[in-house]
């Protein structure tokens, strides 16, 4: 029975099996509630005055929903997709999720996927081994996934990632392992992935420009807040808010989380 919550001996009746299932279900539910309580207590006791959450300014319903969504995401280890127009403070939201999560003591590594050509983006994300390509460092290089180990990696403009790299990213999300460019060894990584885009990924999937399986993998907690889009108190980082590190209310611009 070591390591087993419940068992039944043969021959057994259906009622005995159902009773055993109910006992195991109750135990699983109690364990889940305990974990949720532990996460909630962490979020309540965490000193938010010293992280980026204090830069989210405003008391409108949209801002309150945004803060609640950040704390909800921070209490899990799920992948998050942030959707919004350019300049709406998506990286600030990603940083806030990281700062309020149990991973806050780990690194927060960010990269703009639209700023690099495919070959360089691949080596930046996954790293490379000695002699992987002309000009490669003699000792190889750790990629950003490895650098983000025990922490969070923020993939900004994920909609710009080429299809080839999308496939490798999907493997990272599924297997939690990476393989450096030119290498044969798989390296496990303990990371939380937060992605952001200003593109309509659903349309990109339909057009064949974004892998559907990758979309469903990254859109675990992401959702379009249509209620916020209709609300008069819309929000964005603007008017000096981005450079000053603040997310403030404004009459235009929507950040979907």
């Amino acid at each position: 029975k070591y390591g087993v919550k419940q068992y039944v001996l043969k021959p057994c009746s259906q009622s005995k099996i159902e009773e055993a299932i109910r006992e195991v279900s109750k135990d699983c539910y109690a364990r889940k509630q305990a974990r949720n309580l532990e996460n909630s207590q962490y979020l309540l006791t965490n000193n938010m005055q010293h992280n980026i959450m204090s830069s989210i300014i405003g008391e409108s319903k949209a801002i309150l929903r945004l803060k609640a969504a950040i704390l909800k995401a921070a209490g899990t280890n799920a992948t998050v997709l942030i959707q919004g127009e350019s300049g709406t403070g998506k990286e600030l939201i990603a940083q806030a999720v990281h700062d309020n999560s149990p991973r806050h003591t780990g690194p927060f590594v960010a990269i703009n996927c639209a700023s690099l050509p495919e070959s360089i983006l691949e080596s930046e994300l996954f790293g490379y081994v000695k002699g992987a390509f002309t000009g490669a460092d003699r000792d190889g290089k750790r990629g950003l996934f490895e650098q983000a180990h025990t922490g969070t990696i923020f993939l900004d403009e994920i909609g710009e990632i080429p299809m080839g790299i999308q496939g490798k990213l999907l493997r990272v999300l599924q297997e939690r392992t990476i393989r450096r460019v030119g290498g044969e060894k798989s390296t496990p990584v303990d990371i939380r992935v937060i992605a952001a885009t200003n593109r309509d990924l659903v349309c990109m999937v339909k057009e064949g420009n974004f892998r559907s399986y990758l979309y469903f993998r990254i859109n675990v907690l992401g959702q379009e807040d249509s209620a916020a889009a209709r609300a008069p108190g819309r929000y964005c980082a603007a008017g000096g808010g981005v450079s000053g590190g603040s997310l403030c209310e404004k009459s235009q611009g929507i950040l979907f989380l």
Side-chain angles (χ1 to χ4, degrees), residues 92-128:
L92 295 179
I93 300 303
Q95 181 76 63
V97 171
H98 171 77
D99 286 350
N100 289 279
S101 75
R103 292 180 176 271
H104 71 285
T105 56
F108 178 81
V109 179
I111 182 173
N112 187 320
C113 300
S115 64
L116 299 172
E118 181 174 358
S119 59
I120 297 180
L121 177 62
E122 182 180 14
S123 62
E124 283 295 308
L125 288 174
F126 299 96
Y128 55 83

Side-chain angles (χ1 to χ4, degrees), residues 60-231:
S60 70
K61 290 182 179 180
I63 286 289
L64 294 178
R65 280 196 298 269
L66 174 62
K67 291 180 178 179
I70 289 172
L71 294 180
K72 177 182 178 181
T76 76
N77 198 42
T79 302
V80 176
L81 173 62
I82 304 172
Q83 297 177 264
E85 297 175 2
S86 298
T88 51
K90 295 187 288 294
E91 184 168 349
L92 295 179
I93 300 303
Q95 181 76 63
V97 171
H98 171 77
D99 286 350
N100 289 279
S101 75
R103 292 180 176 271
H104 71 285
T105 56
F108 178 81
V109 179
I111 182 173
N112 187 320
C113 300
S115 64
L116 299 172
E118 181 174 358
S119 59
I120 297 180
L121 177 62
E122 182 180 14
S123 62
E124 283 295 308
L125 288 174
F126 299 96
Y128 55 83
V129 298
K130 175 183 177 181
F133 51 84
T134 303
D137 191 289
R138 288 186 299 176
D139 299 323
K141 178 183 177 181
R142 295 169 64 229
L144 297 183
F145 284 118
E146 289 183 79
Q147 294 178 37
H149 185 65
T150 72
T152 302
I153 185 167
F154 175 56
L155 304 176
D156 197 10
E157 304 299 349
I158 193 171
E160 308 301 325
I161 293 183
M163 292 291 284
I165 299 181
Q166 287 181 28
K168 294 185 177 182
L169 175 57
L170 179 59
R171 181 177 177 83
V172 173
L173 294 174
Q174 291 175 332
E175 307 295 336
R176 298 294 168 176
T177 61
I178 64 99
R179 183 178 297 174
R180 294 186 183 184
V181 176
E184 298 179 352
K185 177 184 176 182
S186 292
T187 302
V189 287
D190 175 17
I191 55 172
R192 201 259 182 87
V193 177
I194 301 179
T197 183
N198 60 3
R199 303 281 298 275
D200 187 337
L201 296 185
V202 174
C203 287
M204 292 184 66
V205 169
K206 292 179 180 178
E207 295 168 355
N209 296 320
F210 199 85
R211 294 178 182 268
S212 59
Y213 287 112
L214 177 58
Y215 173 72
F216 290 120
R217 279 284 180 177
I218 64 175
N219 196 33
V220 177
L221 290 181
Q223 61 182 10
E224 180 174 291
D225 193 344
S226 57
R230 296 191 299 269

